[in-house]
Amino acid sequence: MNIEEIKSAITNKFSGSVIENDELSKNQIEIKGSKWLEVATFMRDNPDLSFDQLECITGVDMGEESNLQSRYNLHSMEYRHKVEIVINHDRKKPEISSVEQVWRIGDWFERETYDMFGISYKGHRDLRRILCPDDWEGWPLRKDYEGQESYHGIVVPKIKEEEEWE
Amino acid sequence: MGVLENKFQDNVVVASMDKLLGWARSTSPWYFQFGLACCAIEMMASAASRHDLERIGMMPRSSPRQADVMIVAGTVTMKMALRVKKLYEQMADPKYVISMGSCATSGGPYWQHGYHVLKGVDLVVPVDVYVPGCPPRPEALIEGLIKLQEKIQTERPLTVKPA
């Protein structure tokens, strides 16, 4: 199936769940966040789509004044088609349903995205930081992240930005 | 020396106790076997057959309680820094630390933008020898270890330290 057929298959089942966005590249589909869990389950179970493999989940920070995004790379072993799902979050309260119980691999992917971007995956059974220590402050991959001044008494020296090279 | 001169057989060694202890300590500093990043590969190469650290009396030990030297081989993250400190505290005296490579010495390539990297392992444990390089070749590490041995030899464990 090509991307248009995948998109119409989702729209036929859940009308209004796909958001049209011209800025996306040709293998991406934007989905409304509130419908994501149903859409994900449908995409896995529908025999024509059969997205049985979740290759990656990652986050994107679109800028300090803009949204956060979750992105899901899906692949079908049966039909060899791929798609990237884009979901926009409100920066102040980034929340989305967890697909950890749809694709089991989502467990660690969601923990990693939570660790780096602070996106909260609702319904995840064990949402903890996975790379940073549990008592780490802040979300390191956000654009507005400021490093900690000290960690457990270890002072982090302030390093000035070097002047631009000519 | 009139009392002791020519009084011992061939198989008796006469030396000052301080020097003897320094010599004994310096010739078998067993190192603590743990690696943090790519420097660990070079450390393993140093221990393997081509460079063979055991010919200078160094042997990897997997427990801090049996080790004399801690080779901090690689990038020390903030998360690891607390553990490195704990491991150092578990080692028995006399204990020595070698900071191997740029990352352990100063943060290396993470100096400016690595939010998660400790900017030099000397912020948490005292370092005896710094080995530069990214990563240092086994020859460089062996040079550092021989420098450490020289340092241990000059120590005077029995003499009162000047205040």
Side-chain angles (χ1 to χ4, degrees):
Chain A
M1 280 176 116
N2 64 28
I3 192 81
E4 290 305 323
E5 288 167 328
I6 294 169
K7 205 185 268 186
S8 61
I10 298 171
T11 323
N12 289 343
K13 178 81 177 174
F14 303 97
S15 61
S17 59
V18 175
I19 299 169
E20 290 298 329
N21 187 341
D22 298 337
E23 291 174 4
L24 298 180
S25 63
K26 62 175 190 278
N27 65 337
Q28 293 175 325
I29 299 176
E30 185 174 346
I31 302 278
K32 198 179 271 183
S34 52
K35 299 256 177 85
W36 170 229
L37 185 59
E38 293 83 41
V39 173
T41 316
F42 168 73
M43 287 173 82
R44 182 194 62 181
D45 293 339
N46 185 288
D48 296 329
L49 296 174
S50 178
F51 282 104
D52 47 11
Q53 190 186 18
L54 175 61
E55 289 181 324
C56 187
I57 300 177
T58 189
V60 182
D61 188 342
M62 302 302 284
E64 289 182 25
E65 302 297 316
S66 192
N67 287 332
L68 291 169
Q69 286 182 349
S70 286
R71 295 198 174 190
Y72 302 74
N73 293 91
L74 299 174
H75 176 242
S76 168
M77 287 279 193
E78 197 177 345
Y79 301 114
R80 308 280 174 90
H81 54 219
K82 288 183 173 200
V83 68
E84 180 168 329
I85 303 293
V86 178
I87 296 171
N88 271 296
H89 307 299
D90 180 15
R91 191 181 189 79
K92 292 202 181 75
K93 203 183 175 208
E95 273 183 2
I96 181 74
S97 331
S98 167
V99 290
E100 175 239 345
Q101 291 178 61
V102 182
W103 295 281
R104 197 62 188 83
I105 188 71
D107 183 353
W108 280 15
F109 284 150
E110 287 182 349
R111 280 178 64 186
E112 188 189 0
T113 315
Y114 165 73
D115 192 357
M116 292 294 150
F117 292 92
I119 297 167
S120 170
Y121 291 91
K122 290 277 171 198
H124 193 294
R125 287 173 290 185
D126 185 25
L127 193 65
R128 289 176 292 137
R129 284 183 182 272
I130 191 169
L131 295 168
C132 291
D134 289 341
D135 53 359
W136 197 256
E137 289 165 17
W139 313 109
L141 288 189
R142 285 202 192 179
K143 300 276 187 201
D144 53 2
Y145 175 71
E146 297 272 343
Q148 288 177 311
E149 284 179 7
S150 73
Y151 177 70
H152 282 264
I154 305 165
V155 179
V156 182
K158 278 276 168 211
I159 294 149
K160 283 181 188 162
E161 291 277 334
E162 280 176 354
E163 289 178 16
E164 295 253 339
W165 287 15
E166 290 179 9
Chain B
M1 291 293 283
V3 186
L4 295 173
E5 210 161 355
N6 299 331
K7 291 286 189 294
F8 297 105
Q9 302 291 321
D10 236 10
N11 54 351
V12 176
V13 177
V14 182
S16 79
M17 198 62 193
D18 250 359
K19 271 195 177 162
L20 188 68
L21 282 176
W23 170 79
R25 282 178 177 182
S26 73
T27 43
S28 67
W30 291 355
Y31 64 95
F32 184 19
Q33 181 185 30
F34 82 109
L36 302 179
C38 35
C39 280
I41 306 294
E42 298 296 308
M43 186 182 71
M44 286 182 253
S46 314
S49 53
R50 184 174 290 252
H51 296 280
D52 194 13
L53 276 184
E54 282 199 47
R55 78 201 149 89
I56 58 168
M58 303 202 67
M59 162 183 183
R61 302 303 295 172
S62 301
S63 160
R65 299 183 198 287
Q66 299 169 349
D68 307 300
V69 182
M70 183 162 82
I71 303 178
V72 184
T75 317
V76 189
T77 57
M78 288 295 191
K79 195 175 180 180
M80 193 66 194
L82 306 175
R83 289 149 177 81
V84 167
K85 194 177 177 192
K86 192 170 277 178
L87 289 171
Y88 177 76
E89 284 162 357
Q90 298 301 309
M91 286 164 67
D93 275 324
K95 52 191 174 183
Y96 306 93
V97 178
I98 287 183
S99 159
M100 180 183 180
S102 308
C103 293
T105 304
S106 70
Y110 309 98
W111 168 246
Q112 201 172 359
H113 296 298
Y115 63 91
H116 62 299
V117 175
L118 183 71
K119 312 291 188 240
V121 74
D122 47 9
L123 290 170
V124 287
V125 293
V127 176
D128 293 283
V129 177
Y130 297 89
V131 180
C134 186
R137 281 188 54 82
E139 291 91 327
L141 178 63
I142 291 167
E143 165 100 41
L145 293 169
I146 290 172
K147 280 265 180 293
L148 179 71
Q149 292 192 339
E150 285 168 9
K151 184 179 174 177
I152 299 171
Q153 251 166 17
T154 59
E155 276 180 2
R156 310 281 297 278
L158 300 181
T159 314
V160 179
K161 286 192 180 112

